[in-house]
Amino acid sequence: MALQTLDWAVVGLYLIAVLVIGFMVSRKATSGDELFLAGRSLGFIAIGLSLFASNISSTTLIGVAGAAYSSGISVAHYELWAALILVFMALFTIPVFLRNRLTTIPEYLGRRFGRTTRLYVSALTIFLSIFVDTAGSVYAGVLVLQVFVPGIPFLPACIGLALFAGIYTAAGGLRGVVYTDVLQAIVLIVGCTAITWEVFAQFDFSWTAALAAVPADHLSLIRPADDPALPWTGVLIGLPILGFYYWGTNQYIMQRALGARSVDHARWGAMLAAALKLLPLFIMAIPGAIAISLLPGLENGDQVFPELVRRFLPVGLTGLVLCGLLAAIMSTIDSTLNSAATLVMYDFAGADRQGWSAQKTVRIGRTVTGGFIVIAAFWPLVIRDFPGLFNYIQQVFSYAVPPMVAVFLLGIFWRRMNAAGALATMVFGHALGLGLLVARSGMAAAGIADPLPHFSVVAGLTTLACAMVGIAVSLATAPPPADRLATTLWQRGDTAVAAGTPWLLNYRVIGGAIVVATAIIVWVFR
């Protein structure tokens, strides 16, 4: 599609605004605590908007609409579960993490189970963050940009995206990431809302007309147990596991909460993000689903987003949506770069134990970020030439989740869980995941029908098996030392609300409202 002068002007203004924000806050990045945790001073609005923006990548923006076009709106369950998990975090895990004044999420595992578990999880997280999340976002982002800007060369575009997001990330640290994410979240929401408006305009804003134009089950969230896209069994037992890992234990997401100025601001920020996560059903999934009547016969559902932009958006709004796409790409890249550098600096280099000066910590931190920028810029070449490799890594990611979720949940809520149980859970879970991966790959290569259930169901069952191993090994070995339990367990007082708190600021009331709203949405679109 050919962008007009007004579109390019909108994109240019947006990019300038991002750079200005990034470099304005870079002057504050004078210490490691500032560079990686924004001086633990983030407010709830910045936290909530940044959580939302960091989660929406280019693959999400394209993929949610594409999946809805192909198989209906059940894909929105990922977003709805995110809202519920963010409420759960605000109630249970965030107070534990902030009470320990963590810099990294694996640091919690170090305090609870020892250094071995901390380094194991940190190394795995760094690998997945850089080689899957960051490089994958660059790769997917460039492919999508090539649809909007035909002829853009692959490698220069990869380098440009990685450098642009990397420069303000290295300069401004987490504060630069979060403040630019605030702008990017607003642009994302406005851009997607513009598409939704234009799609419904084709039906004269009549929900009855839109409903009549699509297959009967296309706007249904609840799908049969044998549904190949997302069965209801997977929604119930698998998505909570995958979602808890992503939202509750993932450094690049949780780093915003760790940088909060207080537990209350971290909780309110999570609640704001939870409320925002109800939006993708309405501004991404539903427009993609009803587009089946406007754009019938697309070979690939992922074409629906750019096709909607090309056919229905006027000049100027097309540029705004492209800004939203750029926002989705960069908000993921900047977040993963900063979080991976944080893990290296604190889990492996021990910046908090080395006695380095503030200037040295900042200098080394920016150097590490620079190294990751190079990987993010050039690893997409490997992904492009060996697409099967990237698919395998993504599958490894899904199989890596269950043991980590089991260890975190047992570590926070069960005092008898010990280091031996945590390590056994990790080894068993990842060995089981590797076995399943090899078995499924072998069956696919041999043309044998896969007898295993949907991957989301497998994730839930695997987590249960991992938890059983962790419980059994912990009970068979010595209890954990008392000093590891003093601050690392959830306590009943963690969910207390200060007397006299206005109901609008009472996170229990807010969380309850979000849970009720989610239930109503599922009921209406059942």
Side-chain angles (χ1 to χ4, degrees):
M1 64 180 62
L3 296 179
Q4 304 301 312
T5 302
L6 181 58
D7 295 319
W8 284 115
V10 172
V11 172
L13 288 173
Y14 164 73
L15 294 177
I16 291 171
V18 170
L19 283 178
V20 169
I21 293 172
F23 283 104
M24 282 180 63
V25 301
S26 68
R27 293 174 293 180
K28 293 187 176 183
T30 56
S31 68
D33 198 52
E34 174 63 39
L35 187 68
F36 297 114
L37 290 176
R40 300 185 191 267
S41 63
L42 296 175
F44 76 94
I45 294 177
I47 292 170
L49 290 173
S50 183
L51 283 169
F52 177 79
S54 297
N55 166 246
I56 305 296
S57 66
S58 57
T59 49
T60 305
L61 204 58
I62 302 298
V64 169
Y69 177 91
S70 301
S71 56
I73 63 171
S74 61
V75 66
H77 275 298
Y78 287 94
E79 311 302 320
L80 299 177
W81 264 113
L84 298 180
I85 291 164
L86 283 161
V87 171
F88 177 88
M89 285 168 48
L91 288 170
F92 300 107
T93 63
I94 284 176
V96 176
F97 292 157
L98 267 66
R99 180 170 63 242
N100 285 273
R101 288 190 63 81
L102 302 176
T103 302
T104 71
I105 296 301
E107 183 183 351
Y108 168 79
L109 295 178
R111 297 188 184 187
R112 183 69 172 84
F113 301 120
R115 184 165 174 77
T116 300
T117 305
R118 175 182 182 177
L119 295 182
Y120 180 96
V121 172
S122 185
L124 180 63
T125 304
I126 292 169
F127 173 79
L128 294 174
S129 291
I130 296 301
F131 289 93
V132 178
D133 289 325
T134 312
S137 292
V138 173
Y139 171 74
V142 169
L143 293 185
V144 174
L145 284 178
Q146 287 178 330
V147 174
F148 286 85
V149 189
I152 185 173
F154 182 80
L155 181 58
C158 289
I159 295 173
L161 276 178
L163 275 179
F164 188 87
I167 287 173
Y168 70 75
T169 301
L174 181 63
R175 192 181 299 277
V177 169
V178 168
Y179 286 7
T180 53
D181 279 356
V182 169
L183 171 63
Q184 287 164 177
I186 295 170
V187 170
L188 268 170
I189 293 170
V190 173
C192 290
T193 302
I195 292 180
T196 304
W197 178 273
E198 292 297 332
V199 167
F200 275 97
Q202 310 309 309
F203 299 93
D204 294 326
F205 300 102
S206 169
W207 175 250
T208 302
L211 194 63
V214 300
D217 63 346
H218 218 55
L219 294 175
S220 174
L221 284 169
I222 309 299
R223 308 306 292 267
D226 60 351
D227 185 73
L230 189 57
W232 68 265
T233 48
V235 171
L236 286 182
I237 69 173
L239 296 198
I241 301 302
L242 300 174
F244 179 79
Y245 167 78
Y246 183 85
W247 291 99
T249 68
N250 195 332
Q251 176 70 23
Y252 96 82
I253 291 295
M254 281 301 298
Q255 198 159 333
R256 285 123 183 85
L258 299 181
R261 67 181 61 159
S262 68
V263 174
D264 281 340
H265 276 271
R267 280 173 158 160
W268 295 333
M271 293 298 182
L272 174 57
L276 292 174
K277 289 304 288 179
L278 301 179
L279 292 179
L281 168 64
F282 301 100
I283 63 176
M284 295 180 193
I286 289 179
I290 65 176
I292 195 171
S293 66
L294 301 175
L295 305 169
L298 294 182
E299 294 182 4
N300 187 336
D302 288 347
Q303 296 174 318
V304 70
F305 181 85
E307 280 297 310
L308 287 174
V309 174
R310 184 178 70 85
R311 297 197 187 190
F312 299 116
L313 289 191
V315 173
L317 275 182
T318 300
L320 179 64
V321 171
L322 182 56
C323 290
L325 178 64
L326 289 170
I329 298 169
M330 292 190 297
S331 60
T332 300
I333 296 172
D334 60 23
S335 300
T336 51
L337 286 173
N338 186 258
S339 66
T342 307
L343 294 172
V344 170
M345 291 293 293
Y346 287 90
D347 289 339
F348 289 93
D352 53 341
R353 304 186 303 272
Q354 296 287 356
W356 292 342
S357 67
Q359 292 79 7
K360 182 176 181 179
T361 301
V362 170
R363 184 174 67 252
I364 296 176
R366 285 173 171 164
T367 301
V368 171
T369 304
F372 286 146
I373 291 171
V374 174
I375 296 174
F378 290 97
W379 186 252
L381 289 173
V382 178
I383 298 174
R384 183 186 64 176
D385 293 338
F386 300 96
L389 174 63
F390 187 55
N391 291 335
Y392 276 121
I393 292 175
Q394 287 185 307
Q395 290 181 53
V396 169
F397 180 88
S398 66
Y399 287 117
V401 167
M404 296 174 70
V405 170
V407 167
F408 268 101
L409 289 177
L410 288 173
I412 291 173
F413 294 107
W414 189 45
R415 64 184 304 110
R416 190 61 176 76
M417 184 70 171
N418 61 19
L423 187 59
T425 301
M426 290 289 190
V427 172
F428 168 80
H430 289 145
L432 177 61
L434 180 61
L436 290 172
L437 177 63
V438 171
R440 286 193 133 162
S441 301
M443 287 186 289
I448 301 173
D450 190 344
L452 295 174
H454 191 270
F455 78 89
S456 58
V457 178
V458 172
L461 296 176
T462 304
T463 304
L464 178 61
C466 289
M468 293 173 65
V469 168
I471 292 170
V473 173
S474 294
L475 291 175
T477 52
D483 61 342
R484 288 189 175 175
L485 302 177
T487 62
T488 56
L489 291 172
W490 174 77
Q491 302 166 5
R492 290 187 181 274
D494 288 337
T495 56
V497 177
T501 300
W503 68 269
L504 280 174
L505 299 178
N506 186 324
Y507 65 89
R508 287 182 176 181
V509 173
I510 301 170
I514 291 171
V515 171
V516 170
T518 304
I520 292 173
I521 288 170
V522 173
W523 175 258
V524 170
F525 290 97
R526 66 188 186 280

